Amino acid sequence: MTGKILAVLVGSILLGVGVNGFLVPHHLLDGGMIGIGLIIHYFYGFPTGLTMILLSIPLYVLAWILERKYFFHSLNGLLVSSFFIDLFAPVEKGIHIGIFPSAILGGILVGCGIGLMLRYETSTGGTDLLAQLVHKFFPVNVGILIFLIDGIVVLSGLKIIGMEKFIYSLLTITCVGLMTSLCVIKRDIVH
């Protein structure tokens, strides 16, 4: 249990720094609920983490009804990561590097944060939770579902961030996916 708590804390800190230190300064997007939270943040100025929690409520109600295991495995991850994403919002003003390295470093940090949580069988919930629920009823690979949802989220932000930042955001979600996969693969090798 201590490992899971530490994974949620460290993973959430990585998410908070990755999102605010590297994505937000350049208006880059991630996929999933973080990406939706960022779109709303860029357009309306609402806190990204709070937005993630509010938009996740229907998914958590559905998870409570359909599969409580998913509900319990991701609720702490959602709440703690959302808190750290908003807590680290001031980091946006502290790191000044170009958009290309920001897209890569932000993706690496976010991917490591998500991967670390997945390694200890927890998550940030959001669209990952949606993919798990869809998979429960339809025989579609969860990874493919998450990739499709992430692509739709980033595509939906195209008008807000523009084509150049859209391309860099694709680089970000690629780095997120690779780092998440590496963390999960390492877990499978170790166990």
Side-chain angles (χ1 to χ4, degrees):
M1 185 56 95
T2 304
K4 185 177 281 198
I5 292 168
L6 192 59
V8 169
L9 285 174
V10 173
S12 296
I13 291 169
L14 291 170
L15 281 168
V17 173
V19 166
N20 292 298
F22 300 100
L23 304 185
V24 172
H26 297 286
H27 284 143
L28 298 175
L29 295 175
D30 184 21
M33 201 57 75
I34 295 171
I36 295 169
L38 285 170
I39 291 169
I40 291 172
H41 174 72
Y42 297 151
F43 198 71
Y44 296 108
F46 294 150
T48 305
L50 179 61
T51 302
M52 290 168 51
I53 291 171
L54 295 175
L55 293 175
S56 293
I57 290 172
L59 291 173
Y60 278 87
V61 169
L62 192 60
W64 181 262
I65 294 167
L66 297 176
E67 188 63 58
R68 291 199 180 154
K69 172 180 76 174
Y70 296 152
F71 176 90
F72 289 114
H73 282 286
S74 61
L75 184 61
N76 290 335
L78 170 70
L79 296 175
V80 175
S81 65
S82 296
F83 171 76
F84 276 102
I85 286 172
D86 286 348
L87 180 69
F88 283 102
V91 172
E92 169 189 0
K93 295 169 180 56
I95 301 174
H96 304 286
I97 62 172
I99 191 169
F100 181 73
S102 287
I104 292 171
L105 291 171
I108 288 170
L109 288 173
V110 170
C112 286
I114 291 170
L116 181 61
M117 284 191 250
L118 289 174
R119 187 174 178 169
Y120 285 88
E121 298 177 350
T122 189
S123 74
T124 59
T127 54
D128 295 353
L129 178 60
L130 176 63
Q132 289 175 315
L133 291 171
V134 169
H135 176 71
K136 181 175 168 68
F137 297 101
F138 301 101
V140 181
N141 182 290
V142 174
I144 291 172
L145 286 170
I146 292 170
F147 180 74
L148 290 173
I149 293 168
D150 287 354
I152 291 168
V153 168
V154 172
L155 189 60
S156 69
L158 177 60
K159 268 192 152 171
I160 293 170
I161 62 171
M163 183 55 79
E164 178 189 10
K165 293 176 183 179
F166 171 77
I167 299 297
Y168 284 111
S169 295
L170 292 177
L171 177 59
T172 297
I173 65 169
T174 301
C175 291
V176 169
L178 288 172
M179 293 312 296
T180 300
S181 296
L182 287 173
C183 288
V184 174
I185 288 170
K186 186 173 181 178
R187 174 187 179 262
D188 291 340
I189 292 170
V190 172
H191 289 77

